[in-house]
DNA sequence: ACCTGAACACCGTTCAAGT
DNA sequence: ACCTGAACACCGTTCAAGT
C-alpha cells in the first residue's frame, strides 16, 4: 500500500498511474473515485482538481493502455526485424502489417484488466485519442485503398478487436470468481483458455484481412452506396 | 404515465416490458431499479421478487431485443420473398443469408435505445440466450464450413455487429445532447447520420463475408493452430 | 497549486414483516 | 404470491474554505 502515494500533493500523472494500478489489480467496477482517492491518501473531491470528471480520467487511462509499454522506446514502433509499417514496402506484405497491428492492439488491451472495455467505452464517447484507429488505418492503407475505404476497413476491424478482447476479458474476470452461467458449456468452459481465444482472434483477423484482399483484387463490388 | 402499471400486483412480464420502455425512452443509464420500481408504483425491493438482480433483468431485456418484433408472427422468421435461411438452398446464396442475418440483428439492436450495449454486456457475462450467435452460425454454416469454423466466423461477425451498433448508438445518444468531444471532426460530425452508418455496416459485413468466401474456396490456410 | 469537509442526490441489494 | 419499510453500504460531483 506504500509507494508513490506517500508525500501528499499529487500530480495528474500520479493519479492516472494509481488508477491504472487499481484497474489492473481489482478491475473496472472497483475503480471508483472514492477508492482511488483513498489509495492516494486524499479526499475524493481532490481528484476533481486533476480531472474534470471520471470519464476524462478513463479517457486518459484508455490512451495509456492503447499506447502500450513501448511508449518508452521512442517514436518508432517496435516491430519485426525489418519493421512493419514501412509505407513503401510494396504491395505484398500489407496483410502482415494489418495482422500485426491487430495483434499488437490485442496485446495492449490484454495488458490491463478490463482494458478493452475502458478503451471501447472511451472511444464510443468520442473521447481519448484515435491512435488505435490511426494505426490500423495506416496498415490497411498500405494495401493501396483510398483513405475513406481504409478507414472504414480499420473501423470494422477495430470493432472486432474490441469486441473480441472485451468478451475475452469479461470471461477471465467472471471465470475466476466462478460466476459463469453455465460452466459446463463446451463453448464457454474455463478449459477454453487463452490459447483458444488467441486462435479465435487470429481466425477473425485472418478472415477480415482476406476480405480486404479480395476487395482489393476487384473480385467484388467495393460498395453499393 | 398511466397504462399497464395501474392495478398493483405485477407479473415478471410487466416488469420486463416497463423496463424496456424506460430503456427506450431514457437510455440505459436511466434504467435504475428504483426508477423502474417507481414506474410500476412499487418499492424497489419488490422487483427482487421477479428478478434475483439487475443483471438477470438486463439478460431478459437482451433476449427480447434480440428476438425482435417478429416474435409475434410465429416460429418461421420473416425474410425475403423466398425465405432466407433454407439449409438446402445450394451453395450459391449463403453469403446473402449471412448478410441478411447480420442486417436483421443490426435492425433488432437499433430498435431499442442502447440495445447493442445491453446485448453485448449480457453476452459477455454468459447470460441470456445465444439466439443471435446461433442464427449467425446457421447462416455461415450454409457455406459448408464445419461447425467449429462456422461458430468462430459467426462469433467474429457478432463482435463486429455489436461493436458497430454500440458505437452508432452511443453517438446517437451523445449527439442529441451535444456532448460530442469534437463536433467539427469530419469523421464524427452529426452530419454523418444513419445512412453513413448503414453504409459502413454494409461495408464491414461485406468484407467479412468476402473473407469467409475466400477461405471457403481454399485460397488461404484455414488456421494455424 | 492542491487539498479538506461537508453536503447533495443518488445507487443495488437484503430482510423481516405484512396481506 | 407479491409487496412494504427500513436499513446497509455504497456511488459521482459540487463547493466554500483552507494552506
Amino acid at each position: 500500500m506504500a509507494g508513490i502515494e506517500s508525500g501528499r500533493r499529487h500530480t495528474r500523472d500520479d493519479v492516472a498511474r494509481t488508477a491504472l494500478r487499481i484497474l489492473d489489480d481489482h478491475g473496472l467496477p472497483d475503480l471508483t473515485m472514492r477508492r482511488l482517492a483513498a489509495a492516494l491518501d486524499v479526499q475524493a473531491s481532490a481528484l476533481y482538481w486533476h480531472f474534470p470528471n471520471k470519464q476524462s480520467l478513463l479517457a486518459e487511462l484508455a490512451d495509456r493502455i492503447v499506447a502500450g509499454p513501448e511508449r518508452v522506446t521512442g517514436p518508432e514502433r517496435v516491430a519485426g526485424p525489418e519493421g512493419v509499417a514501412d509505407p513503401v514496402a510494396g504491395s505484398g506484405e500489407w496483410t502482415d502489417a494489418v495482422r500485426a497491428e491487430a495483434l499488437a492492439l490485442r496485446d495492449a488491451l490484454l495488458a490491463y484488466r478490463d482494458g478493452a472495455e475502458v478503451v471501447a467505452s472511451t472511444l464510443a464517447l468520442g473521447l481519448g485519442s484515435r491512435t488505435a484507429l490511426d494505426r490500423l488505418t495506416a496498415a490497411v492503407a498500405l494495401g493501396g485503398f483510398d483513405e475513406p475505404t481504409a478507414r472504414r476497413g480499420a473501423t470494422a476491424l477495430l470493432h472486432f478487436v474490441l469486441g473480441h478482447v472485451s468478451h475475452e476479458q469479461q470471461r477471465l474476470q467472471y471465470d475466476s470468481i466462478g460466476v459463469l452461467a453455465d460452466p459446463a458449456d463446451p463453448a464457454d468452459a474455463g478449459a477454453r483458455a487463452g490459447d483458444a481465444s488467441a486462435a479465435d482472434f487470429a481466425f477473425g483477423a485472418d478472415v477480415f484481412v482476406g476480405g480486404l484482399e479480395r476487395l482489393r483484387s476487384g473480385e467484388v463490388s467495393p460498395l453499393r452506396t
Side-chain angles (χ1 to χ4, degrees), chain A residues 146-170:
Chain A
D146 56 294
E147 208 274 342
T149 302
R151 202 150 197 94
R152 274 205 242 231
T155 302
L157 182 52
L158 179 59
H159 282 141
F160 161 71
V161 173
L162 291 173
H164 180 96
V165 182
S166 272
H167 198 166
E168 192 173 351
Q169 288 183 320
Q170 294 264 27

Side-chain angles (χ1 to χ4, degrees), chain A residues 59-135:
Chain A
E60 173 69 30
L61 302 190
D63 288 354
R64 291 175 184 232
I65 291 167
V66 166
E70 75 274 22
R71 244 165 41 260
V72 201
T73 356
E76 76 279 24
R77 303 214 44 230
V78 274
E82 61 263 300
V84 96
D86 183 4
V88 285
S91 60
E93 315 307 350
W94 71 273
T95 56
D96 289 337
V98 173
R99 264 187 285 255
E101 283 300 343
L103 251 173
L105 178 56
R106 183 178 102 111
D107 288 345
L109 297 175
L110 282 177
Y112 288 93
R113 171 119 77 128
D114 292 337
E117 207 184 328
V118 171
V119 172
S121 72
T122 289
L123 212 118
L125 300 193
L127 302 173
S129 81
R130 302 200 204 288
T131 327
L133 183 58
D134 289 342
R135 283 180 184 172

